[in-house]
Tab-separated table of all heavy atoms in Angstrom:
chain	number	residue	atom	x	y	z
A	1	HIS	N	-13.065	13.354	-14.766
A	1	HIS	CA	-12.669	12.832	-13.461
A	1	HIS	C	-11.447	13.580	-12.934
A	1	HIS	O	-10.530	13.894	-13.683
A	1	HIS	CB	-12.349	11.344	-13.548
A	1	HIS	CG	-13.542	10.505	-13.834
A	1	HIS	ND1	-14.550	10.298	-12.920
A	1	HIS	CD2	-13.908	9.822	-14.943
A	1	HIS	CE1	-15.474	9.526	-13.447
A	1	HIS	NE2	-15.114	9.234	-14.679
A	2	VAL	N	-11.472	13.828	-11.635
A	2	VAL	CA	-10.361	14.481	-10.954
A	2	VAL	C	-9.976	13.620	-9.761
A	2	VAL	O	-10.830	13.226	-8.964
A	2	VAL	CB	-10.745	15.901	-10.476
A	2	VAL	CG1	-9.584	16.538	-9.721
A	2	VAL	CG2	-11.180	16.773	-11.641
A	3	ILE	N	-8.698	13.336	-9.660
A	3	ILE	CA	-8.162	12.648	-8.491
A	3	ILE	C	-7.410	13.712	-7.705
A	3	ILE	O	-6.462	14.298	-8.213
A	3	ILE	CB	-7.227	11.498	-8.903
A	3	ILE	CG1	-8.019	10.424	-9.649
A	3	ILE	CG2	-6.504	10.926	-7.694
A	3	ILE	CD1	-7.163	9.342	-10.274
A	4	SER	N	-7.859	13.986	-6.496
A	4	SER	CA	-7.249	15.085	-5.742
A	4	SER	C	-6.589	14.583	-4.464
A	4	SER	O	-7.022	13.601	-3.859
A	4	SER	CB	-8.294	16.148	-5.418
A	4	SER	OG	-9.321	15.605	-4.628
A	5	PHE	N	-5.548	15.302	-4.085
A	5	PHE	CA	-4.782	14.970	-2.891
A	5	PHE	C	-4.206	16.269	-2.355
A	5	PHE	O	-3.702	17.090	-3.115
A	5	PHE	CB	-3.648	14.003	-3.237
A	5	PHE	CG	-2.989	13.375	-2.045
A	5	PHE	CD1	-3.420	12.139	-1.583
A	5	PHE	CD2	-1.955	14.011	-1.396
A	5	PHE	CE1	-2.811	11.548	-0.485
A	5	PHE	CE2	-1.341	13.437	-0.291
A	5	PHE	CZ	-1.775	12.194	0.164
A	6	ARG	N	-4.291	16.469	-1.031
A	6	ARG	CA	-3.761	17.691	-0.413
A	6	ARG	C	-2.816	17.324	0.718
A	6	ARG	O	-3.162	16.538	1.603
A	6	ARG	CB	-4.908	18.558	0.113
A	6	ARG	CG	-4.431	19.851	0.764
A	6	ARG	CD	-5.580	20.799	1.061
A	6	ARG	NE	-6.577	20.275	1.943
A	6	ARG	CZ	-6.602	20.443	3.266
A	6	ARG	NH1	-5.637	21.115	3.870
A	6	ARG	NH2	-7.575	19.945	3.986
A	7	PHE	N	-1.632	17.904	0.685
A	7	PHE	CA	-0.680	17.733	1.776
A	7	PHE	C	-0.977	18.746	2.877
A	7	PHE	O	-1.581	19.785	2.627
A	7	PHE	CB	0.768	17.934	1.277
A	7	PHE	CG	1.288	16.785	0.471
A	7	PHE	CD1	1.412	16.897	-0.905
A	7	PHE	CD2	1.656	15.595	1.077
A	7	PHE	CE1	1.898	15.840	-1.662
A	7	PHE	CE2	2.138	14.527	0.329
A	7	PHE	CZ	2.262	14.657	-1.043
A	8	ASP	N	-0.525	18.425	4.101
A	8	ASP	CA	-0.722	19.315	5.245
A	8	ASP	C	0.481	19.155	6.165
A	8	ASP	O	0.869	18.026	6.497
A	8	ASP	CB	-2.010	18.931	5.978
A	8	ASP	CG	-2.381	19.901	7.077
A	8	ASP	OD1	-1.508	20.259	7.896
A	8	ASP	OD2	-3.550	20.314	7.125
A	9	ARG	N	1.060	20.258	6.572
A	9	ARG	CA	2.257	20.220	7.430
A	9	ARG	C	2.009	19.493	8.753
A	9	ARG	O	2.926	18.924	9.331
A	9	ARG	CB	2.732	21.638	7.752
A	9	ARG	CG	3.319	22.376	6.610
A	9	ARG	CD	3.921	23.711	7.085
A	9	ARG	NE	4.120	24.646	5.998
A	9	ARG	CZ	5.095	24.571	5.115
A	9	ARG	NH1	5.948	23.593	5.176
A	9	ARG	NH2	5.197	25.468	4.156
A	10	THR	N	0.782	19.536	9.244
A	10	THR	CA	0.492	18.975	10.564
A	10	THR	C	0.118	17.493	10.524
A	10	THR	O	-0.073	16.886	11.564
A	10	THR	CB	-0.647	19.756	11.243
A	10	THR	OG1	-1.835	19.618	10.459
A	10	THR	CG2	-0.286	21.233	11.388
A	11	GLU	N	-0.019	16.931	9.346
A	11	GLU	CA	-0.433	15.531	9.213
A	11	GLU	C	0.755	14.668	8.796
A	11	GLU	O	1.111	14.609	7.621
A	11	GLU	CB	-1.555	15.410	8.172
A	11	GLU	CG	-2.811	16.151	8.530
A	11	GLU	CD	-3.589	15.469	9.634
A	11	GLU	OE1	-3.437	14.246	9.820
A	11	GLU	OE2	-4.367	16.157	10.306
A	12	SER	N	1.366	13.995	9.735
A	12	SER	CA	2.568	13.215	9.445
A	12	SER	C	2.277	11.966	8.608
A	12	SER	O	3.179	11.405	8.003
A	12	SER	CB	3.268	12.812	10.748
A	12	SER	OG	2.400	12.003	11.526
A	13	THR	N	1.016	11.523	8.559
A	13	THR	CA	0.687	10.316	7.785
A	13	THR	C	0.438	10.621	6.309
A	13	THR	O	0.288	9.710	5.503
A	13	THR	CB	-0.567	9.626	8.357
A	13	THR	OG1	-1.666	10.543	8.293
A	13	THR	CG2	-0.337	9.162	9.778
A	14	ILE	N	0.372	11.894	5.965
A	14	ILE	CA	0.108	12.268	4.575
A	14	ILE	C	1.459	12.458	3.891
A	14	ILE	O	2.013	13.550	3.845
A	14	ILE	CB	-0.784	13.521	4.493
A	14	ILE	CG1	-2.097	13.226	5.203
A	14	ILE	CG2	-1.035	13.904	3.046
A	14	ILE	CD1	-3.067	14.355	5.212
A	15	THR	N	1.973	11.356	3.376
A	15	THR	CA	3.312	11.300	2.803
A	15	THR	C	3.238	11.080	1.298
A	15	THR	O	2.167	10.873	0.736
A	15	THR	CB	4.086	10.126	3.428
A	15	THR	OG1	3.405	8.913	3.077
A	15	THR	CG2	4.185	10.249	4.949
A	16	THR	N	4.400	11.078	0.675
A	16	THR	CA	4.489	10.779	-0.752
A	16	THR	C	3.921	9.398	-1.054
A	16	THR	O	3.187	9.219	-2.027
A	16	THR	CB	5.957	10.868	-1.218
A	16	THR	OG1	6.424	12.189	-0.973
A	16	THR	CG2	6.091	10.546	-2.682
A	17	ASN	N	4.236	8.419	-0.233
A	17	ASN	CA	3.716	7.069	-0.458
A	17	ASN	C	2.195	7.036	-0.331
A	17	ASN	O	1.512	6.352	-1.099
A	17	ASN	CB	4.363	6.073	0.499
A	17	ASN	CG	5.814	5.814	0.141
A	17	ASN	OD1	6.310	6.260	-0.895
A	17	ASN	ND2	6.514	5.093	0.997
A	18	ALA	N	1.641	7.792	0.614
A	18	ALA	CA	0.179	7.864	0.749
A	18	ALA	C	-0.433	8.489	-0.495
A	18	ALA	O	-1.490	8.042	-0.965
A	18	ALA	CB	-0.198	8.667	1.993
A	19	LEU	N	0.226	9.500	-1.043
A	19	LEU	CA	-0.250	10.126	-2.283
A	19	LEU	C	-0.366	9.103	-3.398
A	19	LEU	O	-1.428	8.948	-4.007
A	19	LEU	CB	0.710	11.251	-2.708
A	19	LEU	CG	0.617	11.699	-4.168
A	19	LEU	CD1	-0.705	12.383	-4.457
A	19	LEU	CD2	1.798	12.600	-4.517
A	20	TRP	N	0.717	8.389	-3.682
A	20	TRP	CA	0.698	7.469	-4.831
A	20	TRP	C	-0.188	6.259	-4.594
A	20	TRP	O	-0.785	5.731	-5.526
A	20	TRP	CB	2.122	7.094	-5.233
A	20	TRP	CG	2.901	8.294	-5.683
A	20	TRP	CD1	4.113	8.715	-5.214
A	20	TRP	CD2	2.519	9.252	-6.683
A	20	TRP	NE1	4.492	9.877	-5.854
A	20	TRP	CE2	3.534	10.224	-6.757
A	20	TRP	CE3	1.399	9.393	-7.514
A	20	TRP	CZ2	3.481	11.306	-7.636
A	20	TRP	CZ3	1.341	10.477	-8.379
A	20	TRP	CH2	2.372	11.416	-8.438
A	21	ARG	N	-0.329	5.825	-3.340
A	21	ARG	CA	-1.282	4.737	-3.050
A	21	ARG	C	-2.711	5.195	-3.313
A	21	ARG	O	-3.520	4.464	-3.878
A	21	ARG	CB	-1.123	4.270	-1.605
A	21	ARG	CG	0.108	3.428	-1.372
A	21	ARG	CD	0.157	2.917	0.068
A	21	ARG	NE	1.267	1.999	0.215
A	21	ARG	CZ	2.314	2.223	1.011
A	21	ARG	NH1	2.387	3.330	1.726
A	21	ARG	NH2	3.280	1.343	1.079
A	22	ALA	N	-3.032	6.422	-2.887
A	22	ALA	CA	-4.382	6.954	-3.095
A	22	ALA	C	-4.667	7.141	-4.586
A	22	ALA	O	-5.761	6.814	-5.062
A	22	ALA	CB	-4.537	8.277	-2.356
A	23	VAL	N	-3.695	7.643	-5.344
A	23	VAL	CA	-3.872	7.825	-6.784
A	23	VAL	C	-4.103	6.478	-7.458
A	23	VAL	O	-5.011	6.330	-8.280
A	23	VAL	CB	-2.669	8.576	-7.403
A	23	VAL	CG1	-2.709	8.524	-8.929
A	23	VAL	CG2	-2.634	10.022	-6.920
A	24	ALA	N	-3.304	5.476	-7.113
A	24	ALA	CA	-3.460	4.139	-7.708
A	24	ALA	C	-4.843	3.563	-7.394
A	24	ALA	O	-5.504	2.997	-8.271
A	24	ALA	CB	-2.365	3.200	-7.207
A	25	CYS	N	-5.284	3.725	-6.158
A	25	CYS	CA	-6.599	3.221	-5.752
A	25	CYS	C	-7.711	3.919	-6.539
A	25	CYS	O	-8.635	3.267	-7.036
A	25	CYS	CB	-6.761	3.424	-4.256
A	25	CYS	SG	-8.215	2.642	-3.558
A	26	ASP	N	-7.621	5.229	-6.681
A	26	ASP	CA	-8.636	5.973	-7.431
A	26	ASP	C	-8.631	5.598	-8.909
A	26	ASP	O	-9.683	5.497	-9.534
A	26	ASP	CB	-8.426	7.478	-7.278
A	26	ASP	CG	-8.935	8.011	-5.941
A	26	ASP	OD1	-9.528	7.231	-5.180
A	26	ASP	OD2	-8.729	9.205	-5.670
A	27	LEU	N	-7.450	5.402	-9.481
A	27	LEU	CA	-7.372	4.982	-10.887
A	27	LEU	C	-8.033	3.621	-11.077
A	27	LEU	O	-8.764	3.401	-12.050
A	27	LEU	CB	-5.913	4.939	-11.354
A	27	LEU	CG	-5.259	6.293	-11.597
A	27	LEU	CD1	-3.750	6.134	-11.740
A	27	LEU	CD2	-5.853	6.964	-12.830
A	28	ALA	N	-7.800	2.720	-10.140
A	28	ALA	CA	-8.411	1.384	-10.243
A	28	ALA	C	-9.927	1.451	-10.073
A	28	ALA	O	-10.655	0.667	-10.674
A	28	ALA	CB	-7.787	0.447	-9.211
A	29	ARG	N	-10.412	2.391	-9.273
A	29	ARG	CA	-11.866	2.568	-9.147
A	29	ARG	C	-12.468	3.070	-10.457
A	29	ARG	O	-13.557	2.671	-10.838
A	29	ARG	CB	-12.187	3.555	-8.029
A	29	ARG	CG	-12.029	2.966	-6.656
A	29	ARG	CD	-12.529	3.935	-5.595
A	29	ARG	NE	-12.274	3.383	-4.294
A	29	ARG	CZ	-11.536	3.963	-3.360
A	29	ARG	NH1	-10.995	5.137	-3.576
A	29	ARG	NH2	-11.347	3.390	-2.196
A	30	LEU	N	-11.742	3.965	-11.121
A	30	LEU	CA	-12.234	4.498	-12.399
A	30	LEU	C	-12.144	3.470	-13.518
A	30	LEU	O	-13.000	3.431	-14.395
A	30	LEU	CB	-11.411	5.731	-12.806
A	30	LEU	CG	-11.658	7.002	-12.024
A	30	LEU	CD1	-10.660	8.078	-12.434
A	30	LEU	CD2	-13.080	7.503	-12.252
A	31	TYR	N	-11.095	2.666	-13.490
A	31	TYR	CA	-10.840	1.686	-14.554
A	31	TYR	C	-10.666	0.310	-13.919
A	31	TYR	O	-9.564	-0.073	-13.540
A	31	TYR	CB	-9.590	2.074	-15.357
A	31	TYR	CG	-9.673	3.477	-15.896
A	31	TYR	CD1	-8.933	4.515	-15.323
A	31	TYR	CD2	-10.525	3.778	-16.956
A	31	TYR	CE1	-9.032	5.808	-15.811
A	31	TYR	CE2	-10.624	5.071	-17.444
A	31	TYR	CZ	-9.879	6.077	-16.867
A	31	TYR	OH	-9.984	7.357	-17.346
A	32	PRO	N	-11.774	-0.442	-13.773
A	32	PRO	CA	-11.711	-1.739	-13.089
A	32	PRO	C	-10.664	-2.696	-13.662
A	32	PRO	O	-10.174	-3.559	-12.944
A	32	PRO	CB	-13.128	-2.286	-13.269
A	32	PRO	CG	-13.984	-1.062	-13.380
A	32	PRO	CD	-13.140	-0.065	-14.134
A	33	CYS	N	-10.293	-2.515	-14.921
A	33	CYS	CA	-9.254	-3.380	-15.504
A	33	CYS	C	-7.917	-3.233	-14.766
A	33	CYS	O	-7.070	-4.129	-14.823
A	33	CYS	CB	-9.080	-3.083	-16.991
A	33	CYS	SG	-8.532	-1.386	-17.334
A	34	LEU	N	-7.732	-2.140	-14.043
A	34	LEU	CA	-6.480	-1.926	-13.319
A	34	LEU	C	-6.446	-2.658	-11.978
A	34	LEU	O	-5.382	-2.845	-11.396
A	34	LEU	CB	-6.246	-0.426	-13.094
A	34	LEU	CG	-6.128	0.426	-14.351
A	34	LEU	CD1	-5.908	1.886	-13.971
A	34	LEU	CD2	-5.009	-0.063	-15.257
A	35	TRP	N	-7.628	-3.078	-11.479
A	35	TRP	CA	-7.654	-3.800	-10.197
A	35	TRP	C	-6.822	-5.067	-10.263
A	35	TRP	O	-6.178	-5.441	-9.295
A	35	TRP	CB	-9.086	-4.160	-9.797
A	35	TRP	CG	-9.805	-3.069	-9.083
A	35	TRP	CD1	-10.937	-2.437	-9.494
A	35	TRP	CD2	-9.448	-2.453	-7.838
A	35	TRP	NE1	-11.305	-1.473	-8.595
A	35	TRP	CE2	-10.408	-1.459	-7.563
A	35	TRP	CE3	-8.406	-2.644	-6.934
A	35	TRP	CZ2	-10.365	-0.670	-6.422
A	35	TRP	CZ3	-8.366	-1.851	-5.802
A	35	TRP	CH2	-9.327	-0.880	-5.547
């Protein structure tokens, strides 16, 4: 499994907090015990 995230200079909504929220969400999808 790979959890991927890409930043972009032109996208102001793609922040550090968005990164870690997306990673947490993907981890919970992979491991339902984390939900």
Side-chain angles (χ1 to χ4, degrees):
H1 292 290
V2 178
I3 295 172
S4 61
F5 192 94
R6 180 170 60 93
F7 285 106
D8 187 312
R9 290 187 198 284
T10 63
E11 298 287 336
S12 61
T13 60
I14 301 180
T15 63
T16 300
N17 289 352
L19 161 67
W20 297 126
R21 285 184 174 116
V23 169
C25 189
D26 282 355
L27 286 167
R29 284 187 184 121
L30 287 173
Y31 306 105
C33 62
L34 299 180
W35 275 118

